Every structure is written in C-alpha cells, then in structure tokens.
Amino acid sequence: MCIHLSRPDITDREIEAVCAVLRSPNLSLGPKLVEFEQAFSEYVGMKRAVAVNSGTSGLFLCMLALGIAPGDEVITTPFTFAASATSIMMAGARPVFVDIDPVSLNIDPAKIEAGITEKTKAILPVEVFGNPAGLDAVCEIAKKHNLPVIEDSCEALGSALKGKKVGTFGTMSVFGFYPNKQITTGEGGMILTDDDDLADMCVSLRNQGRSKGAGWLAHERLGYNYRLSDINCALGIVQLSRIDEIKAKRRQVAEWYRQMLADEDRLIVPAEPVNCDMSWFVFVVRLKEDFTMEQRDRILQQMQSRNIQVSNYFAPVHLMPFIAQKFGYKPGNFPITESISARAIALPFHNHLTKDQIAIVCTTLKQLLAG
Ligand SMILES: Cc1ncc(COP(=O)(O)O)c(C=O)c1O
C-alpha cells in the first residue's frame, strides 16, 4: 500500500455542499462566491477577498493591479514554488532573487536592500512550508523604501507571526487551494487586500475586464477568465470552517515525525519557529552537510520504490533552465538556497496519516541513511 505525499481531507459535509450547488441554478458568480469571499476575508482579517481559479492567477493579478510591467523588477526568493517567480515574469517584469535565511528558509531580510534598484516595484516574500518567520522584517524594509509587499501565502493559511495572521502583512496577499494545501477547492486561490481600488481591479481582471454594474458584453479593459465557480467555493466554505481541526491534525502529524526522528543526527528536522503559530503545509527534513545531492536523490528513489511518496521540495527557481537562460542566473549565485535544495526531502504529510504509517516512513528513512 502506498503512503501518499499528500491527500485532501474531504468529509460528507463538503460533498453535500458541492451537491447542493449542483442542484441550484447558480454554478458560477452566485451566492457561494460571495459567501466564500466574506468568510475568507473575515478569517484572515483583511477588508476584501477576491476568489480566483488558482494561486498563480492570484499572484499574476496582483502584479497587474499594482501596475507592474516590462522593465520593472520584483524581489523574491529562489527557494519557493516556481509560480512565485513566474507570476512576475507573466507581467513582463524581472524576478530579482535574494538568498534565504538558513533556519527559516524564507527570504533573508538582511540581504534584501542589496537587491533594491530604481526599477524595483515590489517585494514578494513567501511563507515557505507555512513558516511566517521574518515577514515583519521584510515589511519594515518595504516600508522604508515605499514598496508594496505581495505576500505569497499560498502555503501558509492559518499561520501567524507574533499573533498577526499570515495574509495581513502585505499590501496584497494570495492563498492557494490546490489539493495538497491546508484547505482545498480542487483548484483555486484568493487575493486579499485592504485597498478597495486594488480589489476592484482584481474583480474586473478575473472576469474578462468587465466593470461593475455594466452589461455582460461591456469590457472595460484587457481581462482574463480567472473566475472560481460556486462549486469550488462551496467546497472552500466547508473546508475553511474546518481550518482549526485541519491545523490540529497536521500539527499532530508533525509532532509524531519530530518524536520519531528526534534521535536521528544525520537529519535536520523542522521545528515550530519562535513567536509563530505554524500551520504545517509539508514536513521537509534536510540531510546534514556531508551528504551529497546524489545521495539525497538515491534516498528519494529508494523511498519511492518502497511505496513511500517523497519529493525534493524545492528545486532552486533561479536555476530552472528557462529562468537561468533568460536572466543569466548561474549555479553559485544563491549558495544557501542551492545547498538546502540539494539535501531536502519532503516526507508524506497529510491529515489522514496514522502514527503507524509515520513509523514506517521514519524506520525506512533511518535504514536508508544507515546505508
Ligand atoms: C509558494 C507557492 N506559490 C504559488 C503557488 C501556486 O498556487 P496554484 O498551484 O494554486 O497556482 C503555490 C502552490 O502550488 C505555492 O506553493
């Protein structure tokens, strides 16, 4: 039997909510969209929420709403999912990478100012693996330079730093609801902001550039179809109502891993960061420095062949060929990111994992480490 890397947590309540929409006349732009946006903005604590069909669409619309265009630069981290950087490129702008802090694995605030030029138009920090550490320092630098922050919160729904929820730090923030996330809508995303003009622009851009109150064929600007259907929203409403239960289940899984790997000194095991309420997204362990990437890759393969799904979260984004070629990034540019990427192993992590399954994962990993 396979131990999956991720799995959604869907109950009868979600299934009934989706079926109820299917029996209604409103499959899109209906009451569930309004209800999901309201519930989400209330949960996170931002004035406006705009639902979209993915986290990537959400990030891209933030770029457009903030007027980011060809010739502009946006500072971000190379240790993230590709969309943090590709959304910048979709707007025609240049992602300027800044290396990460080796403990939090988030963009290193101390290195950001060296990357700021007169072309810099925004800073895009990511709460990698759900960890919000350092976000306040990033926002201070942005404030000093009068730059907006686009918070990529796709991995961090429910996390908080010093009592302040993730998603409330940025000028705009974006969550993602792919099935491996804390909550899912199948596919989907949410843009949050306190700024009505930015929110209204996103509402128009996600709906073919239509303007509020005008007719169905009145298009005011170049827009997209990034709408999230009421079917997805109904799923999201129930999932969001269960966020505390989901967070608790994931915290328990993380705790079991931490207990069972506590005696393994060849690994760096993630811990709940100080001053943070961590909403666990994945559980990524790292091999110590004396392991090579080839050894890590062999362990990944051997785990897979034993039906334990694992992954190499994250590959350095600046070295993805189409990005390296376009902007001239090379190995060695961001040594902390590259070193951590070479030794990272994402272990199976989801709400359904049992203590016995985690024991199998940990025993197998220890055996493989022993060689
Ligand atoms: C950090 C980060 N940014 C952006 C995204 C993009 O979200 P989506 O897959 O919904 O487009 C994801 C997740 O997949 C992510 O983990």
Side-chain angles (χ1 to χ4, degrees):
M1 213 187 58
C2 178
I3 303 182
H4 294 98
L5 184 60
S6 75
R7 264 184 65 186
D9 181 349
I10 304 294
T11 67
D12 286 348
R13 279 182 61 206
E14 279 88 341
I15 294 167
E16 279 154 24
V18 166
C19 290
V21 174
L22 292 174
R23 288 189 198 98
S24 82
N26 299 108
L27 299 194
S28 188
L29 296 174
K32 292 294 161 187
L33 170 65
V34 179
E35 193 182 329
F36 188 34
E37 290 179 339
Q38 263 170 13
F40 207 92
S41 76
E42 265 166 41
Y43 174 73
V44 176
M46 289 290 265
K47 189 172 166 199
R48 297 283 300 275
V50 180
V52 285
N53 63 351
S54 74
T56 308
S57 313
L59 289 168
F60 174 50
L61 292 194
C62 289
M63 303 294 154
L64 299 186
L66 288 165
I68 290 163
D72 294 340
E73 296 177 352
V74 177
I75 291 182
T76 193
T77 165
F79 189 72
T80 181
F81 183 68
S84 312
T86 56
S87 57
I88 299 167
M89 294 166 68
M90 287 172 203
R94 179 189 179 95
V96 172
F97 297 110
V98 167
D99 212 349
I100 57 171
D101 176 281
V103 178
S104 71
L105 311 185
N106 288 335
I107 192 167
D108 186 343
K111 293 182 180 151
I112 288 179
E113 283 191 309
I116 296 177
T117 71
E118 71 282 358
K119 293 182 182 167
T120 308
K121 291 288 152 39
I123 304 179
L124 190 154
V126 183
E127 295 102 7
V128 171
F129 307 150
N131 185 343
L135 205 51
D136 47 351
V138 174
C139 290
E140 266 172 43
I141 295 160
K143 200 168 165 200
K144 184 173 151 200
H145 292 268
N146 204 18
L147 291 168
V149 170
I150 303 164
E151 199 187 330
D152 181 344
S153 302
C154 283
E155 303 189 353
L157 179 64
S159 285
L161 172 62
K162 297 174 188 161
K164 186 171 159 60
K165 277 222 183 81
V166 152
T168 62
F169 286 83
T171 316
M172 305 183 85
S173 59
V174 177
F175 291 85
F177 309 132
Y178 184 72
N180 66 347
K181 298 296 190 297
Q182 286 90 340
I183 73 162
T184 187
T185 56
E187 295 281 359
M190 192 71 81
I191 301 166
L192 291 172
T193 182
D194 278 338
D195 184 317
D196 281 325
D197 292 337
L198 291 174
D200 288 343
M201 180 57 83
C202 290
V203 168
S204 171
L205 289 170
R206 80 162 170 203
N207 190 17
Q208 306 280 17
R210 291 181 172 101
S211 56
K212 208 175 170 186
W216 187 246
L217 295 182
H219 302 273
E220 206 173 37
R221 57 178 61 81
L222 175 66
Y224 305 83
N225 180 355
Y226 290 164
R227 297 185 298 262
L228 189 67
S229 85
D230 276 44
I231 306 167
N232 303 89
C233 290
L235 176 50
I237 291 163
V238 180
Q239 288 266 285
L240 184 64
S241 74
R242 297 178 49 222
I243 183 72
D244 291 341
E245 170 207 333
I246 289 171
K247 261 176 76 176
K249 282 184 185 171
R250 293 171 93 87
R251 170 166 284 141
Q252 173 65 81
V253 172
E255 204 39 54
W256 282 330
Y257 269 127
R258 286 181 44 73
Q259 284 163 12
M260 291 187 214
L261 294 173
D263 59 349
E264 180 47 82
D265 57 12
R266 287 162 290 200
L267 287 181
I268 300 164
V269 176
E272 179 123 10
V274 272
N275 292 326
C276 296
D277 175 5
M278 175 92 165
S279 173
W280 291 87
F281 168 51
V282 284
F283 198 82
V284 177
V285 296
R286 282 147 54 201
L287 304 176
K288 287 263 170 80
E289 292 275 320
D290 46 343
F291 282 85
T292 63
M293 185 161 156
E294 289 67 33
Q295 287 173 305
R296 189 280 309 267
D297 288 346
R298 209 171 312 126
I299 292 173
L300 288 178
Q301 264 173 13
Q302 289 167 326
M303 299 279 285
Q304 302 276 15
S305 69
R306 287 162 175 76
N307 279 331
I308 299 172
Q309 289 187 345
V310 284
S311 190
N312 61 335
Y313 295 165
F314 279 119
V317 177
H318 65 287
L319 297 180
M320 291 180 182
F322 70 103
I323 294 181
Q325 273 157 29
K326 188 167 168 74
F327 300 111
Y329 289 115
K330 294 197 168 44
N333 282 159
F334 304 107
I336 300 174
T337 292
E338 291 166 34
S339 165
I340 284 166
S341 289
R343 279 174 273 278
I345 302 178
L347 299 176
F349 193 75
H350 55 80
N351 303 8
H352 301 286
L353 279 172
T354 63
K355 201 172 179 182
D356 288 348
Q357 285 176 313
I358 292 166
I360 294 170
V361 176
C362 294
T363 310
T364 309
L365 181 59
K366 286 177 188 179
Q367 280 166 0
L368 295 173
L369 286 170

